[in-house]
């Protein structure tokens, strides 16, 4: 019994870690621009596919491939912001969200042309047998995903709370005009947030591809589930996104295990609805905090 | 100046039409057949090899002098994996292009949408999708044929092999798409006939990243084998999870497993996976005197030379559909009714890529479980099981 339960739990952690990373990506852009970037899932796909390209196709050593992937993903984020968000004369929130939807469609098309429709995979970061805990197994790569996720959160926390740049980015979201008056280069901060969130998305993609494979059209599913994670924890709270991601992942897995696998997506979404009914600001955002938000 | 320009354009147009007329007079009138494939959209993994195959065959046939001197013209329409678009494309082909027959569509849903249209237009359709309802009941499918094997045939091949191995309890795990649902139904329907009990019945979504939970449940249910029914990355993830869990019971895949790409992606985890596969993917392992071997070899090698990729089972379905119509055209000429009758009654012991076809007024597919070989993955390659 314990073995089976643990196995369901580990499976949930594996799935949840992915949602958590996507959720954080949403938060970065949201926290500095108040927009929901619906191309976040595509950033994850870009990370996975580029990592494959650098490590398997160009045969670069591991760390060089990681570095190249991060740099090129950051460039993609930068280009997207400079080409689609920057030229806007009246940056209207709804308009910007629509733009991110079209960006996601364009990115999917480009990825399909570059990589084709088939899935890609490369070996896990560390080779070796899965780890056995009381008869339940957990893949080594899952541990990598979880620890890298946690590492990202800590870095981001320090960045937003302890550095001037991070604080300036937060200020831009709360009130761009006031931030500008206080001497913050708002445009630069928005650009930075896109770069950062593209990189975080790419980190997610790089770490999960050995487990889940990566193909050009995986983005929308990741966006939806990651968005659920972010909403559940409260938009803007990274800790919330991570916990939300793991809750959804574990719920899906437990439902599949103890109820029926056909119902898993439905149950996770019902729980999400319940949270939205009874605590619409999310688990980790208080009501007064949420009232400061634009939406 | 303006006038001179207009006169010049007129002269050019006139010359061009005379030239075209002369060219047309030289060759015999082309035989037009339509093709509706899901070249883009979610089912594009089917439509793309099908389209490539159609283009390749058209080129080969015309290079060899066409059909009785008539060039073959295959007009390909993209359905974008959508039923409505499939209907529109078929109507366009029938009304504007006046095609003699249509091949495709790629998916069962699109094929079902075309059944009434083809019956009304009294034009033969050879579908490249597998679903049994496409050709059954045969009475209401007078003009409809299909070349892919039935899902039930693949299931029968698996169950038949399991019976020989003494396996009677299985856990099934299927993807929640049309392909998986059809397979799931066939697995349930055929189980009693082979004395098989299904102890667990699990599902997963097409973009799911981990199926450990479902497999753990199957193991706990006392199953002696796992059967996974899916196409796409899901079957690789199931294979990896199965291997990581060290389940101790064999993993069977559907006939969707037949791509070397899957072995590449799953790596060592794929060792020992068993699946019923059409002979197209294992042509090089067939004995030389097998009636399908020569054509499989030629098709695979031509395709790989032209498109730098394997044709896969799906390209093969288009190959069979086109070649049946080409043979009918050769024998009976451009008459829709005669083409239909020829396919129904004269396609007997006819080697194609999907198997050896035996069409009849009772069966518009003409394949059974003998179209499959049970194939195991060994040392990163296929091996035919006896």
């Amino acid at each position: 019994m314990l073995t089976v339960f643990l196995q369901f739990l580990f499976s949930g952690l594996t799935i949840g870690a992915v949602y958590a990373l996507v959720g954080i990506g949403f938060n970065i852009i949201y926290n500095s621009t108040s927009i929901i970037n619906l191309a976040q899932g595509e950033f994850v796909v870009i990370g996975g596919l580029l990592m494959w390209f650098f490590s398997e196709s160009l045969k670069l050593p591991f760390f060089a491939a990681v570095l190249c992937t991060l740099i090129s993903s950051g460039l993609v984020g930068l280009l997207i912001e400079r080409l689609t968000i920057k030229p806007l004369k009246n940056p209207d929130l709804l308009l910007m969200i629509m733009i991110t939807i079209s960006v996601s469609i364009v990115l999917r098309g480009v990825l399909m042309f570059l990589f084709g429709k088939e899935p890609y995979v490369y070996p896990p970061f560390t080779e070796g047998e899965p780890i056995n805990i009381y008869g339940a197994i957990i893949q080594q790569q899952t541990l990598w995903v979880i620890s890298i996720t946690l590492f990202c959160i800590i870095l981001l926390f320090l960045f937003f709370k302890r550095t001037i740049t991070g604080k300036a980015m937060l200020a831009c979201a709360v009130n761009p005009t006031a931030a500008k008056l206080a001497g913050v280069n708002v445009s630069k901060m928005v650009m930075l947030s896109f770069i950062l969130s593209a990189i975080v998305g790419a980190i997610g993609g790089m770490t999960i591809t050995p487990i889940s494979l990566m193909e050009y059209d995986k983005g929308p599913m990741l966006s939806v589930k990651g968005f659920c994670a972010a909403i559940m924890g409260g938009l803007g709270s990274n800790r919330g996104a991570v916990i939300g991601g793991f809750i959804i992942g574990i719920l899906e897995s437990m439902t599949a295990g103890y109820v029926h696998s056909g119902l898993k997506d439905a149950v996770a979404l019902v729980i999400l609805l319940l949270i939205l009914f009874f605590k619409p600001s999310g688990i980790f955002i208080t009501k007064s905090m949420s009232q400061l938000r634009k939406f | 100046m303006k006038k001179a320009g207009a006169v010049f354009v007129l002269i050019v147009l006139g010359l061009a039409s005379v030239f075209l007329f002369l060219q047309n007079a030289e060759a015999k009138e082309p035989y037009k057949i339509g093709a509706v494939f899901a070249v883009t959209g979610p089912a594009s993994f089917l439509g793309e090899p099908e389209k490539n195959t159609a283009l390749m065959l058209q080129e080969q046939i015309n290079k060899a002098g066409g059909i009785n001197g008539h060039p073959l013209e295959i007009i390909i329409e993209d359905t974008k994996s959508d039923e409505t678009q499939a209907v529109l494309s078929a109507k366009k082909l029938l009304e504007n292009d006046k095609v003699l027959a249509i091949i495709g569509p790629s998916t069962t849903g699109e094929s079902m949408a075309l059944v009434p249209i083809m019956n009304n237009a009294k034009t033969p359709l050879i579908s490249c999708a597998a679903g049994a309802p496409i050709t059954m009941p045969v009475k209401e499918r007078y003009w409809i044929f299909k070349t892919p094997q039935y899902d039930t045939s693949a299931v029968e091949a698996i169950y038949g092999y399991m019976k020989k191995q003494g396996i009677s309890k299985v856990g099934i795990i299927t993807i929640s798409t049309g392909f998986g649902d059809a397979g799931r139904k066939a697995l349930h329907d055929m189980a009693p006939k082979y004395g098989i009990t299904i102890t667990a019945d699990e599902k997963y979504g097409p973009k799911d990243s981990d199926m450990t939970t479902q497999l753990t449940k199957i193991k706990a249910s006392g199953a002696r084998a796992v059967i996974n029914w899916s196409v796409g990355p899901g079957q690789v993830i199931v294979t990896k999870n199965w291997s990581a869990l060290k389940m101790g019971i064999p993993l069977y895949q559907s006939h969707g497993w037949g791509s070397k790409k899957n072995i590449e992606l799953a790596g060592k985890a794929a060792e020992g996976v068993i699946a019923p596969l059409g002979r197209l993917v294992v042509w090089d392992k067939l004995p030389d005197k097998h009636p399908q071997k020569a054509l499989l070899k030629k098709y695979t090698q031509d395709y790989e030379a032209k498109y730098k990729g394997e044709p896969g089972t799906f390209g093969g379905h288009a190959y069979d559909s086109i070649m049946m119509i080409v043979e009918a055209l050769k024998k009976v000429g451009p008459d829709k009714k005669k083409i239909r009758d020829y396919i129904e009654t004269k396609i007997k012991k006819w080697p194609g890529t999907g198997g050896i076809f035996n069409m009849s007024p009772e069966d518009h597919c003409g394949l059974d479980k003998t179209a499959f070989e049970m194939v195991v993955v060994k040392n990163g390659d296929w091996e035919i099981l006896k």
Side-chain angles (χ1 to χ4, degrees), chain A residues 160-210:
Chain A
F160 279 116
K161 297 281 151 138
R162 297 287 158 84
T163 66
I164 287 291
T165 322
K167 284 180 180 169
M169 279 171 81
L170 282 178
C172 293
V174 178
N175 192 331
T177 322
K180 209 177 228 165
L181 286 175
V184 176
N185 186 340
V186 176
S187 161
K188 208 173 234 168
M189 292 302 137
V190 172
M191 179 184 87
L192 199 59
S193 76
F194 268 81
I195 296 175
L196 209 57
S197 112
I199 289 178
V200 170
I203 292 177
M206 284 193 300
T207 49
I208 63 166
T209 300

Side-chain angles (χ1 to χ4, degrees), chain B residues 36-37 46 50 103-108 111 125-131 134 145-148 314-319 321-322:
Chain B
V36 279
F37 295 139
L46 303 167
E50 289 166 357
I103 45 176
S106 314
T107 66
T108 302
S111 305
L125 175 90
I126 308 189
S127 167
C128 297
I134 298 172
F145 300 86
K146 77 181 183 82
T147 49
F314 312 123
H317 299 327
Y319 178 95
S321 306
I322 295 169

Side-chain angles (χ1 to χ4, degrees), chain B residues 158 161-162 167 170-174 204 211 215 218 223-230 234-254 257 266 268-276 374-377 385:
Chain B
I158 294 181
Y161 182 77
M162 284 182 165
I167 296 172
V170 299
I172 64 173
I173 173 165
T174 55
Y204 57 89
M211 287 62 148
L215 291 174
I218 288 176
R224 301 308 308 147
V226 189
I227 306 177
N228 171 59
W229 211 272
S230 66
Q235 49 188 353
V236 177
I237 300 176
V238 167
T239 306
K240 288 182 147 200
N241 292 162
W242 165 76
S243 157
L245 282 171
K246 295 202 178 45
M247 289 179 70
I249 52 178
L251 171 64
Y252 289 75
Q253 296 271 8
S254 73
W257 175 249
K268 272 195 217 109
E271 289 295 306
V273 173
I274 303 171
M374 291 307 288
V375 174
V376 67
V377 178
L385 290 165

